[in-house]
PDB file of all heavy atoms in Angstrom:
ATOM      1  N   GLY A1559       6.929 -15.447  -3.806  1.00 80.00           N
ATOM      2  CA  GLY A1559       6.344 -16.328  -2.799  1.00 80.00           C
ATOM      3  C   GLY A1559       7.260 -16.528  -1.615  1.00 80.00           C
ATOM      4  O   GLY A1559       8.078 -15.679  -1.280  1.00 80.00           O
ATOM      5  N   SER A1560       7.107 -17.692  -0.971  1.00 83.00           N
ATOM      6  CA  SER A1560       7.901 -17.998   0.216  1.00 83.00           C
ATOM      7  C   SER A1560       8.852 -19.161  -0.006  1.00 83.00           C
ATOM      8  O   SER A1560       9.548 -19.570   0.925  1.00 83.00           O
ATOM      9  CB  SER A1560       6.952 -18.335   1.375  1.00 83.00           C
ATOM     10  OG  SER A1560       6.059 -17.281   1.623  1.00 83.00           O
ATOM     11  N   ASP A1561       8.897 -19.690  -1.226  1.00 88.00           N
ATOM     12  CA  ASP A1561       9.637 -20.918  -1.477  1.00 88.00           C
ATOM     13  C   ASP A1561      11.131 -20.787  -1.229  1.00 88.00           C
ATOM     14  O   ASP A1561      11.795 -21.761  -0.880  1.00 88.00           O
ATOM     15  CB  ASP A1561       9.412 -21.387  -2.922  1.00 88.00           C
ATOM     16  CG  ASP A1561       7.959 -21.704  -3.208  1.00 88.00           C
ATOM     17  OD1 ASP A1561       7.207 -21.901  -2.232  1.00 88.00           O
ATOM     18  OD2 ASP A1561       7.581 -21.746  -4.394  1.00 88.00           O
ATOM     19  N   ARG A1562      11.701 -19.592  -1.405  1.00 93.00           N
ATOM     20  CA  ARG A1562      13.151 -19.434  -1.358  1.00 93.00           C
ATOM     21  C   ARG A1562      13.680 -19.077   0.027  1.00 93.00           C
ATOM     22  O   ARG A1562      14.900 -18.998   0.217  1.00 93.00           O
ATOM     23  CB  ARG A1562      13.595 -18.369  -2.361  1.00 93.00           C
ATOM     24  CG  ARG A1562      13.280 -18.694  -3.816  1.00 93.00           C
ATOM     25  CD  ARG A1562      13.899 -17.651  -4.730  1.00 93.00           C
ATOM     26  NE  ARG A1562      15.352 -17.612  -4.615  1.00 93.00           N
ATOM     27  CZ  ARG A1562      16.069 -16.476  -4.600  1.00 93.00           C
ATOM     28  NH1 ARG A1562      15.459 -15.306  -4.667  1.00 93.00           N
ATOM     29  NH2 ARG A1562      17.382 -16.510  -4.510  1.00 93.00           N
ATOM     30  N   TYR A1563      12.802 -18.850   1.005  1.00 95.00           N
ATOM     31  CA  TYR A1563      13.286 -18.367   2.293  1.00 95.00           C
ATOM     32  C   TYR A1563      14.235 -19.345   2.971  1.00 95.00           C
ATOM     33  O   TYR A1563      15.248 -18.947   3.557  1.00 95.00           O
ATOM     34  CB  TYR A1563      12.112 -18.044   3.219  1.00 95.00           C
ATOM     35  CG  TYR A1563      11.581 -16.640   3.043  1.00 95.00           C
ATOM     36  CD1 TYR A1563      10.536 -16.376   2.167  1.00 95.00           C
ATOM     37  CD2 TYR A1563      12.123 -15.571   3.752  1.00 95.00           C
ATOM     38  CE1 TYR A1563      10.049 -15.092   1.991  1.00 95.00           C
ATOM     39  CE2 TYR A1563      11.635 -14.281   3.588  1.00 95.00           C
ATOM     40  CZ  TYR A1563      10.603 -14.050   2.706  1.00 95.00           C
ATOM     41  OH  TYR A1563      10.130 -12.771   2.540  1.00 95.00           O
ATOM     42  N   VAL A1564      13.930 -20.636   2.929  1.00 95.00           N
ATOM     43  CA  VAL A1564      14.802 -21.609   3.582  1.00 95.00           C
ATOM     44  C   VAL A1564      16.199 -21.563   2.961  1.00 95.00           C
ATOM     45  O   VAL A1564      17.219 -21.503   3.662  1.00 95.00           O
ATOM     46  CB  VAL A1564      14.209 -23.025   3.478  1.00 95.00           C
ATOM     47  CG1 VAL A1564      15.208 -24.055   3.989  1.00 95.00           C
ATOM     48  CG2 VAL A1564      12.910 -23.114   4.269  1.00 95.00           C
ATOM     49  N   GLU A1565      16.258 -21.561   1.628  1.00 96.00           N
ATOM     50  CA  GLU A1565      17.545 -21.492   0.939  1.00 96.00           C
ATOM     51  C   GLU A1565      18.286 -20.201   1.279  1.00 96.00           C
ATOM     52  O   GLU A1565      19.491 -20.218   1.587  1.00 96.00           O
ATOM     53  CB  GLU A1565      17.324 -21.579  -0.569  1.00 96.00           C
ATOM     54  CG  GLU A1565      18.566 -21.344  -1.405  1.00 96.00           C
ATOM     55  CD  GLU A1565      18.258 -21.136  -2.876  1.00 96.00           C
ATOM     56  OE1 GLU A1565      17.079 -21.287  -3.270  1.00 96.00           O
ATOM     57  OE2 GLU A1565      19.193 -20.798  -3.620  1.00 96.00           O
ATOM     58  N   LEU A1566      17.575 -19.077   1.247  1.00 97.00           N
ATOM     59  CA  LEU A1566      18.219 -17.789   1.488  1.00 97.00           C
ATOM     60  C   LEU A1566      18.706 -17.658   2.925  1.00 97.00           C
ATOM     61  O   LEU A1566      19.801 -17.133   3.181  1.00 97.00           O
ATOM     62  CB  LEU A1566      17.254 -16.652   1.147  1.00 97.00           C
ATOM     63  CG  LEU A1566      16.885 -16.517  -0.328  1.00 97.00           C
ATOM     64  CD1 LEU A1566      15.772 -15.495  -0.513  1.00 97.00           C
ATOM     65  CD2 LEU A1566      18.108 -16.128  -1.162  1.00 97.00           C
ATOM     66  N   ILE A1567      17.916 -18.142   3.880  1.00 97.00           N
ATOM     67  CA  ILE A1567      18.343 -18.058   5.281  1.00 97.00           C
ATOM     68  C   ILE A1567      19.548 -18.962   5.516  1.00 97.00           C
ATOM     69  O   ILE A1567      20.473 -18.612   6.257  1.00 97.00           O
ATOM     70  CB  ILE A1567      17.165 -18.397   6.209  1.00 97.00           C
ATOM     71  CG1 ILE A1567      16.167 -17.227   6.207  1.00 97.00           C
ATOM     72  CG2 ILE A1567      17.640 -18.692   7.631  1.00 97.00           C
ATOM     73  CD1 ILE A1567      14.924 -17.452   7.012  1.00 97.00           C
ATOM     74  N   GLY A1568      19.572 -20.117   4.848  1.00 97.00           N
ATOM     75  CA  GLY A1568      20.754 -20.968   4.944  1.00 97.00           C
ATOM     76  C   GLY A1568      22.003 -20.246   4.457  1.00 97.00           C
ATOM     77  O   GLY A1568      23.075 -20.325   5.084  1.00 97.00           O
ATOM     78  N   LYS A1569      21.893 -19.513   3.357  1.00 97.00           N
ATOM     79  CA  LYS A1569      23.039 -18.760   2.840  1.00 97.00           C
ATOM     80  C   LYS A1569      23.448 -17.649   3.795  1.00 97.00           C
ATOM     81  O   LYS A1569      24.646 -17.389   3.991  1.00 97.00           O
ATOM     82  CB  LYS A1569      22.691 -18.182   1.468  1.00 97.00           C
ATOM     83  CG  LYS A1569      22.561 -19.234   0.366  1.00 97.00           C
ATOM     84  CD  LYS A1569      22.222 -18.579  -0.967  1.00 97.00           C
ATOM     85  CE  LYS A1569      22.144 -19.620  -2.079  1.00 97.00           C
ATOM     86  NZ  LYS A1569      21.784 -19.016  -3.384  1.00 97.00           N
ATOM     87  N   LEU A1570      22.470 -16.984   4.398  1.00 97.00           N
ATOM     88  CA  LEU A1570      22.783 -15.904   5.331  1.00 97.00           C
ATOM     89  C   LEU A1570      23.474 -16.441   6.581  1.00 97.00           C
ATOM     90  O   LEU A1570      24.375 -15.795   7.133  1.00 97.00           O
ATOM     91  CB  LEU A1570      21.512 -15.150   5.708  1.00 97.00           C
ATOM     92  CG  LEU A1570      20.895 -14.298   4.594  1.00 97.00           C
ATOM     93  CD1 LEU A1570      19.547 -13.743   5.021  1.00 97.00           C
ATOM     94  CD2 LEU A1570      21.832 -13.160   4.205  1.00 97.00           C
ATOM     95  N   LEU A1571      23.066 -17.617   7.028  1.00 97.00           N
ATOM     96  CA  LEU A1571      23.736 -18.222   8.175  1.00 97.00           C
ATOM     97  C   LEU A1571      25.187 -18.558   7.839  1.00 97.00           C
ATOM     98  O   LEU A1571      26.081 -18.392   8.677  1.00 97.00           O
ATOM     99  CB  LEU A1571      22.974 -19.468   8.625  1.00 97.00           C
ATOM    100  CG  LEU A1571      21.580 -19.219   9.216  1.00 97.00           C
ATOM    101  CD1 LEU A1571      20.885 -20.540   9.516  1.00 97.00           C
ATOM    102  CD2 LEU A1571      21.661 -18.357  10.475  1.00 97.00           C
ATOM    103  N   ARG A1572      25.429 -19.013   6.605  1.00 97.00           N
ATOM    104  CA  ARG A1572      26.806 -19.290   6.199  1.00 97.00           C
ATOM    105  C   ARG A1572      27.636 -18.009   6.093  1.00 97.00           C
ATOM    106  O   ARG A1572      28.854 -18.044   6.174  1.00 97.00           O
ATOM    107  CB  ARG A1572      26.824 -20.048   4.863  1.00 97.00           C
ATOM    108  CG  ARG A1572      26.363 -21.498   4.994  1.00 97.00           C
ATOM    109  CD  ARG A1572      26.714 -22.311   3.763  1.00 97.00           C
ATOM    110  NE  ARG A1572      25.959 -21.891   2.584  1.00 97.00           N
ATOM    111  CZ  ARG A1572      24.752 -22.341   2.275  1.00 97.00           C
ATOM    112  NH1 ARG A1572      24.143 -23.225   3.070  1.00 97.00           N
ATOM    113  NH2 ARG A1572      24.138 -21.921   1.179  1.00 97.00           N
ATOM    114  N   GLN A1573      26.948 -16.878   5.897  1.00 96.00           N
ATOM    115  CA  GLN A1573      27.627 -15.576   5.892  1.00 96.00           C
ATOM    116  C   GLN A1573      27.814 -15.012   7.303  1.00 96.00           C
ATOM    117  O   GLN A1573      28.204 -13.869   7.471  1.00 96.00           O
ATOM    118  CB  GLN A1573      26.825 -14.578   5.046  1.00 96.00           C
ATOM    119  CG  GLN A1573      26.765 -14.899   3.564  1.00 96.00           C
ATOM    120  CD  GLN A1573      28.113 -14.735   2.891  1.00 96.00           C
ATOM    121  OE1 GLN A1573      28.882 -13.835   3.218  1.00 96.00           O
ATOM    122  NE2 GLN A1573      28.401 -15.615   1.940  1.00 96.00           N
ATOM    123  N   ARG A1574      27.464 -15.819   8.316  1.00 97.00           N
ATOM    124  CA  ARG A1574      27.637 -15.477   9.734  1.00 97.00           C
ATOM    125  C   ARG A1574      26.758 -14.287  10.143  1.00 97.00           C
ATOM    126  O   ARG A1574      27.161 -13.444  10.955  1.00 97.00           O
ATOM    127  CB  ARG A1574      29.109 -15.189  10.064  1.00 97.00           C
ATOM    128  CG  ARG A1574      30.052 -16.317   9.695  1.00 97.00           C
ATOM    129  CD  ARG A1574      31.484 -16.028  10.112  1.00 97.00           C
ATOM    130  NE  ARG A1574      31.937 -14.707   9.723  1.00 97.00           N
ATOM    131  CZ  ARG A1574      32.321 -14.368   8.491  1.00 97.00           C
ATOM    132  NH1 ARG A1574      32.291 -15.271   7.520  1.00 97.00           N
ATOM    133  NH2 ARG A1574      32.720 -13.144   8.213  1.00 97.00           N
TER     134      ARG A1574
END
Side-chain angles (χ1 to χ4, degrees):
S1560 303
D1561 298 341
R1562 298 186 61 221
Y1563 273 92
V1564 172
E1565 173 193 354
L1566 293 172
I1567 287 177
K1569 290 180 178 179
L1570 290 173
L1571 293 175
R1572 288 194 292 274
Q1573 294 292 323
R1574 304 183 312 282

